[in-house]
Amino acid sequence: MHIIPAIDIIDGKCVRLTKGDYSQKTEYNKNPLEVAKEFEAAGIQRLHLVDLDGAKAKQVVNLDVLKTIAKNTNLTIDFGGGVQSTKDLNDVFDAGANQITGGSIAIKNEALFTEWIEEFGGEKIILGADVKGHHIAIHGWQESSEKHIFDFLEHYLAKGLKYVICTDVSKDGALQGTSNTLYQDILERFPDVKLIASGGVSSVEDLHILDKMDVYGAIVGKAIYEKRINLSDLKQFQ
């Protein structure tokens, strides 16, 4: 299982929200590059970089942070938040992202997102499936859609998508454990998907449970920043 630390960006700084609520923001570091370098020094190879300003503004805002991290580390970066056009997509790849995560765009502009999968391939485009009660949440979780998680996945996996980051919004940043039943249901229904679990990781034990479930990866955020998990604890998964 790949351990994928998250760096969420507001105003160029490393922050975390609780349950996607922008009013429940904790700032952890003014220098995201410093955080990324700590991850890399601990043997981490992948990074989930989220432009929260971009998700809210519906356009990429913190491109410079991506450029700085990509230029000064060897981390494999997936970038999400505000990628709403092909220009945004190209800007993000040009800035050094290896993959992009699209969530809102996959609901709001199905034709364009499908075009991206066809043009760039299933290895470069990740589906961001942010869930509120089995329905997809969009635009930094500020809106809910009528799309059911299983219908959403079935539609895009049929088009060649391979990677899915699934976040239960009710769990994210709450440090109360992960949505294991949801992930198990997804894996049983879609055994070939490269499922990346996100939201709720509070301890190394949570990671062991996910590892046994055979998820492809686990995103860890607040648990690292709140010292519930030490970077040295993560070496066992590498």
Side-chain angles (χ1 to χ4, degrees):
M1 183 176 74
H2 295 270
I3 300 295
I4 310 170
I7 293 181
D8 292 357
I9 304 297
I10 290 180
D11 295 332
K13 300 167 186 171
C14 178
V15 306
R16 292 298 288 172
L17 305 182
T18 299
K19 299 182 182 180
D21 186 347
Y22 282 72
S23 69
Q24 296 189 61
K25 178 185 77 175
T26 305
E27 183 181 307
Y28 288 102
N29 196 309
K30 289 182 169 57
N31 186 350
L33 175 60
E34 189 174 274
V35 178
K37 283 188 166 182
E38 286 176 11
F39 293 154
E40 186 175 41
I44 298 292
Q45 296 178 340
R46 299 175 67 98
L47 176 67
H48 180 58
L49 185 62
V50 183
D51 183 352
L52 288 175
D53 291 315
K56 202 170 185 181
K58 304 178 187 177
Q59 63 182 39
V60 177
V61 175
N62 288 288
L63 197 65
D64 286 345
V65 175
L66 168 61
K67 286 179 182 174
T68 300
I69 293 175
K71 185 178 178 182
N72 293 284
T73 73
N74 291 310
L75 293 167
T76 297
I77 303 169
D78 82 78
F79 181 93
V83 181
Q84 296 289 303
S85 70
T86 301
K87 182 185 182 303
D88 290 335
L89 186 76
N90 286 319
D91 286 347
V92 166
F93 282 140
D94 288 346
N98 304 92
Q99 298 171 301
I100 71 104
T101 301
S104 305
I105 187 71
I107 287 282
K108 295 282 194 176
N109 195 336
E110 187 181 301
L112 182 60
F113 192 69
T114 299
E115 193 178 294
W116 293 352
I117 297 168
E118 290 170 352
E119 183 177 347
F120 293 94
E123 292 294 330
K124 301 281 282 185
I125 308 296
I126 300 174
L127 182 65
D130 301 331
V131 180
K132 280 185 177 178
H134 278 63
H135 286 84
I136 302 299
I138 56 177
H139 293 314
W141 306 339
Q142 304 300 293
E143 300 174 32
S144 291
S145 76
E146 297 302 311
K147 183 72 75 174
H148 191 279
I149 176 65
F150 291 155
D151 295 335
F152 192 53
L153 296 184
E154 187 166 22
H155 178 78
Y156 281 114
L157 289 170
K159 294 183 181 300
L161 195 97
K162 294 181 171 61
Y163 293 87
V164 174
I165 294 175
C166 186
T167 306
D168 183 338
V169 176
S170 70
K171 297 279 191 179
D172 193 68
L175 297 172
Q176 293 173 355
T178 53
S179 288
N180 298 330
T181 303
L182 173 63
Y183 299 140
Q184 195 67 57
D185 289 346
I186 290 172
L187 288 169
E188 283 177 8
R189 186 156 177 156
F190 308 104
D192 296 330
V193 69
K194 293 184 177 180
L195 180 64
I196 299 170
S198 170
V201 171
S202 62
S203 65
V204 173
E205 182 55 34
D206 286 333
L207 294 174
H208 280 300
I209 292 168
L210 291 171
D211 194 19
K212 286 175 187 170
M213 288 169 59
D214 262 354
V215 299
Y216 174 82
I219 291 175
V220 190
K222 202 169 196 175
I224 293 174
Y225 298 115
E226 294 286 343
K227 312 297 185 189
R228 302 283 192 96
I229 295 176
N230 295 317
L231 291 178
S232 59
D233 295 333
L234 301 176
K235 291 186 185 298
Q236 62 193 288
F237 298 98
Q238 292 165 19

